[in-house]
Amino acid sequence: MLDRITASLPSLAPAEQRVAQLVLDDPRAFAHLPVRELAVRARVSKPTVVRFCRSMGYDGLADFKLKLAGSVSEGVPFIHRSVDADDKTNDVLVKVVDNAVAAFLQYRNAASTNALERAAEAIASTWQTGRRIEFYGAGNSGIVAQDAQHKFFRLGITSISTSDGHMQVMSATLLGPGDCAVIISNSGRTRDLMDAADIARKNGATTIAITASGSPLAHTCRIHLAADHPEGYDRYSPMVSRLLHLLIIDVLATCVALRIGSPLQPILQQMKDNLRAKRYT
C-alpha cells in the first residue's frame, strides 16, 4: 500500500502530495488521527485529505484509514488508536476492533510454545489421573475462568471455576500433588489470586498463570502463559484483555484435546447425540 502511494506521488497535485508524504512519514499516526489534525499537519484543507484518499482508490478517509491500519498493524506490536470526539460510528468500530486484533497479533508473535506445551501436558495429565482442575479469576478474569470451565467441560473434562477470593483460597487449600490450578489476571497483582496461587503451589499442585510478563503472579506460578496487554482504560483494557485471555484458553483447550486424543471421541459423540436429541424433540 505504501509502495503504491510512493509510486503515485508524481501524478498527485501539490496539496495531495503533502497528504501522501504525511502517510509515508508516519503511517501509524495517520491511521488514527482525526481529519482535522491530518489537515493541520499536511497544511491542507480537510476536503483535500478526503480527495487524496479517493484518488488512491478508496471510498473516503474512513475506508483508507481502515486499510492502512490493517497494513501497518499486521504482525507488529500493539497499536493504540484512541477514540476522538469527531469520530463517527464507523471510526469507533474500526478502532475498537483494531485494538483487539493488534493485541491478538502481538500475542501470536510473542507466545511461548514451550509454555503452552507444558501447560497442556499438565492439564491433560491431571485429567487422565482423575485429579482436580480449577480455574481462578477476578472481575473480567472471573468471566474468563467461567468460560474456561465451560470449554473444558465440553471436552468431557470436569473442572471448577470461581471468582470469589475466599472460595479461591479455600479451594486452593484442598489442592495437592497431581492437581492443577489455572490463575487468570490481567495485572497479575490481585491479592486473593496471588494468595490462592501461592497456597496451591506450596501444596504441590501445578499452577499455571495467564497474566502479564514480570507480574508477581507470573513469578509465583510454575508455568506462565504471557498475556501482555498495555493497561489503561482509554485503551479498552478490560474488554481487550478478556478477549486475549479467552483466545489463550481456546488455544490451550485445543492443545489439551489433541493430547488426550481418541479417548475423548466417544464422550464428544455421546454429548453431541444427546444435544441433538434434546434440540429436535
Side-chain angles (χ1 to χ4, degrees):
M1 184 175 182
L2 298 177
D3 288 343
R4 185 152 52 87
I5 294 173
T6 301
S8 301
L9 277 173
S11 63
L12 297 173
E16 292 180 7
Q17 287 181 355
R18 291 199 293 274
V19 180
Q21 197 58 54
L22 190 63
V23 178
L24 296 173
D25 289 344
D26 194 347
R28 292 183 178 85
F30 193 99
H32 80 263
L33 288 173
V35 64
R36 180 185 64 252
E37 179 65 21
L38 294 173
V40 170
R41 293 192 180 194
R43 305 187 313 282
V44 299
S45 66
K46 290 189 285 187
T48 299
V49 176
V50 177
R51 188 164 60 249
F52 160 76
C53 297
R54 288 177 176 160
S55 71
M56 297 305 301
Y58 298 92
D59 292 337
L61 179 60
D63 185 42
F64 180 85
K65 289 167 68 175
L66 173 62
K67 302 300 192 303
L68 180 64
S71 297
V72 299
S73 69
E74 184 175 352
V76 301
F78 179 89
I79 299 169
H80 171 43
R81 305 180 64 210
S82 60
V83 172
D84 185 81
D86 293 335
D87 285 343
K88 306 300 182 185
T89 302
N90 183 63
D91 298 321
V92 174
L93 171 67
V94 169
K95 290 180 178 182
V96 173
V97 172
D98 278 4
N99 279 331
V101 171
F104 292 166
L105 290 170
Q106 181 187 29
Y107 170 72
R108 181 198 67 184
N109 294 338
S112 167
T113 53
N114 177 264
L116 278 167
E117 289 172 355
R118 291 172 59 209
E121 187 61 39
I123 293 175
S125 176
T126 301
W127 176 79
Q128 289 165 339
T129 55
R131 301 293 298 184
R132 296 173 60 181
I133 301 171
E134 303 193 352
F135 296 93
Y136 303 154
N140 281 283
S141 298
I143 299 172
V144 178
Q146 187 177 48
D147 183 80
Q149 181 193 22
H150 292 170
K151 279 188 172 63
F152 280 88
F153 186 78
R154 288 196 293 268
L155 293 177
I157 300 175
T158 303
S159 62
I160 69 168
S161 69
T162 175
S163 58
D164 179 86
H166 295 295
M167 286 295 297
Q168 290 163 357
V169 169
M170 288 189 290
S171 191
T173 304
L174 301 176
L175 296 179
D179 294 325
C180 187
V182 181
I183 303 98
I184 307 159
S185 172
N186 188 39
S187 68
R189 296 190 295 269
T190 304
R191 184 73 260 167
D192 289 335
L193 291 176
M194 290 172 58
D195 288 344
D198 187 55
I199 292 169
R201 179 180 55 82
K202 288 179 178 178
N203 285 348
T206 299
T207 51
I208 302 170
I210 300 178
T211 188
S213 299
S215 68
L217 183 62
H219 293 304
T220 298
C221 293
R222 177 180 167 190
I223 302 171
H224 174 220
L225 302 180
D228 294 314
H229 178 262
E231 290 189 89
Y233 290 95
D234 57 334
R235 299 185 178 189
Y236 328 108
S237 287
M239 180 57 73
V240 176
S241 64
R242 182 166 71 177
L243 291 173
L244 180 58
H245 294 160
L246 289 170
L247 175 71
I248 295 173
I249 291 294
D250 273 350
V251 174
L252 186 58
T254 304
C255 290
V256 170
L258 291 173
R259 273 167 174 72
I260 295 175
S262 56
L264 276 182
Q265 293 177 1
I267 298 173
L268 295 177
Q269 188 59 53
Q270 183 180 7
M271 192 180 298
K272 289 180 180 179
D273 291 343
N274 290 338
L275 287 172
R276 189 179 295 112
K278 180 177 179 59
R279 187 174 299 151
Y280 297 112
T281 56

